RNA sequence: GCUCCGGUAGUCUAGUCCGGCAAGGAUGUGAGCCUCUCGAGCUCACGACCCGGGUUCAAAUCCCGGCCGGAGCACCA
């Protein structure tokens, strides 16, 4: 088959699942957006959602915006803006336009004034608790009846600094008894006295999410919004705000439940809890779902993309992906690219008597010759993995890969002693990896596991495996992913030392 | 508590709107082939429509009830 019609084999893969068509979408008429809040590091959930928006824009020859939802000056930080930009770029997402919601403050103020003049917004000076209580009850407060002129005046006061933080907000005249509680006169603007990383100290009255988003989605001409379902209830509010402002075009909303992975919470709170216990030190820890974390671990952006396309759906049901689903894709993509190297974890000495001194040339990949080869010298003293040593039986003949056969004659705490037993490759011999004793280097591999097990923090989420490796390992570049044979795919994580992180088997 | 929304193999997903498949795919697990890796590839096998009623010749699909799960109920996004 491979020889007669190799194209058939590849065709089958190309037929894999594709993204379903977008409702009401036309070629060239689709505009989507990446709407990160720069209040934390980008993680895999953002990546998958971003990919969906990007892939659809691409599928329909449309456009995509990168728009930072940065209207809470107290939460946003410059490093987080960067985290998202870097993350999107890493994924291969190219955006056509970029802006920050905080760029449009003057415009937000204009629309606010417009609403006030229409009698559709009012300044409320009730204490927060009172507002909450009344909203829950579905009852209006006295401020709702203020006249337009009075509201205009109070709004001016808000902008001018006549009110302190928490003393006044601008509210929408919604429907105080609406079943969808987001419509019960939601706050549109609040006062925050805190410098903004992008806008500095210029503003103290900041719009809230729904107001900013409704306007920005219109201004950007967004046609389709793909987002997680916690926003589902806001569609109605956002459409309503636009209708009041004469913006008669709403995006199509497609919502789905969060993308979660087993044992790996995405929430800042839970991740920070792990950092606080000291179990992890940085946000780019390879056990973390942050983009920097999974990148360090050796997950390729192509894998995340393929995973998003093939394993995902627009389901509202709670889901928890098993990491093995992603790993399988990553492994398949890595397999033809990764160099094979010998690494012997928990090493044990192996002495082979009567072994000839040899220099052999071993290919870096069984099929891909273009990946080259390296030379290994053998004298008769080796290190092999502790596990292989343990499994050996006296009298058994084993094959040192690419080298020779050896018959086990003795096992002790010192190691294994064997006798040279021929050069030919024989079927049915156990093949093991080895490292020349005189030419071995120390290798350390960090093996990430689940952060949480059965809802509890897993104290052993990161194991360290040490052993000896062949000298060629020193030549592995920082960031390169190789396969330590019969151990797994590992990414070099340190330039100066041979420290690796295991991605998966 | 209130309001929405969901439940297809261990996991993810297609099918549900417009009833009629042996309920498809992926991953996982087991077996075999291939291979100088326990990787990749190939073959086979295992495994699911939450429960109970109803409508119908026929229900994963439509209706009702229950159970379980998720989201929202901010001067966060």
């Amino acid at each position: 088959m491979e020889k007669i019609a190799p194209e058939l084999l590849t065709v089958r893969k190309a037929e894999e699942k594709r993204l379903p068509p977008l409702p009401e979408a036309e070629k060239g008429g689709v505009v989507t957006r990446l709407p990160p809040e720069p209040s934390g590091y980008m993680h895999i959930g953002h990546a998958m959602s971003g990919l969906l928006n990007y892939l659809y824009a691409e599928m329909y020859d449309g456009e995509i915006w990168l728009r930072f939802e940065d209207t809470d000056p107290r939460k946003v930080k410059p490093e987080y803006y960067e985290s998202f930009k870097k993350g999107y770029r890493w994924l291969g997402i190219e955006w056509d336009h970029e802006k920050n919601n905080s760029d449009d403050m003057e415009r937000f103020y204009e629309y606010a004034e417009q609403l006030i003049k229409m009698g559709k917004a009012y300044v409320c000076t009730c204490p927060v608790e009172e507002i909450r209580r009344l909203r829950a009850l579905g009852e209006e407060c006295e401020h709702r009846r203020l006249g337009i002129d009075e509201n205009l005046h109070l709004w001016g006061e808000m902008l001018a600094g006549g009110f302190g933080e928490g003393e006044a907000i601008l509210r929408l005249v919604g429907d105080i008894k609406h079943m969808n509680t987001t419509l019960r006169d939601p706050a549109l603007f609040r006062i925050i006295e805190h410098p903004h990383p992008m806008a500095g100290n210029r503003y103290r009255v900041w719009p809230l999410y729904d107001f900013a988003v409704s306007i920005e989605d219109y201004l950007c001409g967004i046609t389709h919004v793909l987002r997680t379902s916690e926003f589902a209830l806001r569609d109605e509010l956002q459409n309503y705000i636009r209708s009041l402002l004469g913006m008669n075009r709403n995006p199509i909303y497609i919502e789905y439940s969060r993308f979660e992975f087993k044992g790996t919470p995405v929430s800042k709170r839970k991740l920070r809890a792990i950092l606080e216990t000291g179990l992890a030190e940085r946000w780019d820890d390879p056990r973390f779902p942050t983009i920097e974390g999974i990148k360090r671990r050796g997950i390729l952006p192509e894998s995340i993309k393929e995973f998003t396309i093939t394993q995902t759906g627009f389901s509202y049901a709670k889901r928890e992906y098993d990491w093995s689903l992603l790993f399988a894709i990553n492994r398949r993509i890595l397999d033809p690219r990764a160099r094979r190297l010998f690494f012997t974890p928990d090493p044990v000495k192996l002495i082979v008597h009567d072994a000839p001194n040899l220099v052999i040339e071993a290919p870096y990949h069984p099929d891909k010759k273009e990946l080259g080869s390296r030379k290994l010298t053998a004298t008769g003293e080796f290190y092999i993995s502790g596990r292989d040593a343990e499994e050996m039986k006296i009298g058994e003949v084993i094959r040192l890969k690419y080298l020779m056969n050896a018959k086990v004659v003795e096992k002790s705490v010192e190691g294994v002693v064997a006798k040279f037993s021929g050069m030919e490759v024989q079927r049915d011999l156990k093949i093991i990896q080895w490292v020349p004793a005189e030419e071995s280097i120390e290798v350390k591999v960090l093996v990430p596991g689940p952060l949480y097990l059965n809802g509890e923090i897993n104290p052993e989420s990161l194991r360290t495996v040490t052993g000896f490796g062949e000298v060629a390992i020193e030549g592995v570049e920082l960031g390169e992913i190789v396969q330590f044979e019969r151990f797994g795919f590992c990414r070099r994580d340190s330039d100066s030392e041979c420290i690796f992180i295991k991605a998966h088997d």
Side-chain angles (χ1 to χ4, degrees), chain A residues 446-460:
Chain A
L446 271 27
V447 184
L451 288 167
Y452 279 80
L453 273 181
N454 310 317
E456 308 264 308
I457 291 184
N458 173 14
E460 285 160 23

Side-chain angles (χ1 to χ4, degrees), chain A residues 269-282:
Chain A
R269 207 191 85 248
K270 285 193 171 174
L271 257 16
R272 197 169 286 122
I274 299 221
L275 256 9
E276 275 159 14
T277 63
L279 262 179
E281 288 172 358
R282 295 159 27 177

Side-chain angles (χ1 to χ4, degrees), chain A residues 362-476:
Chain A
Y364 277 130
H365 195 284
D367 318 309
K368 305 281 172 188
K369 297 234 165 49
E370 58 272 31
L371 289 179
S373 62
R374 79 287 195 186
K375 287 189 167 61
L376 286 162
T377 48
T379 57
E381 290 200 22
F382 310 93
Y383 284 109
I384 59 172
S385 97
R387 191 157 164 232
D388 284 340
E390 200 177 309
E391 287 171 359
M392 283 176 187
K393 295 183 188 71
I394 307 282
E396 183 185 5
V397 178
I398 50 104
R399 170 79 181 168
L400 298 178
K401 190 172 179 182
Y402 297 135
L403 187 65
M404 64 188 185
N405 307 327
K407 186 172 186 174
V408 180
V409 297
E410 193 187 322
K411 282 176 70 175
S412 70
V413 278
E414 307 285 298
V416 178
V417 177
K419 192 175 175 341
F420 176 68
S421 175
M423 301 288 292
E424 342 47 69
V425 181
Q426 291 172 29
R427 281 185 76 80
D428 302 332
L429 288 190
K430 174 166 181 164
I431 296 158
I432 65 167
Q433 282 64 37
W434 49 275
V435 172
E438 301 85 85
E439 280 188 11
S440 61
I441 55 167
E442 279 185 39
V443 174
K444 189 159 125 183
V445 182
L446 271 27
V447 184
L451 288 167
Y452 279 80
L453 273 181
N454 310 317
E456 308 264 308
I457 291 184
N458 173 14
E460 285 160 23
S461 52
L462 189 68
R463 287 189 303 124
T464 302
V465 175
T466 54
F468 291 125
E470 54 173 292
V471 289
I473 290 175
E474 273 178 331
V476 174

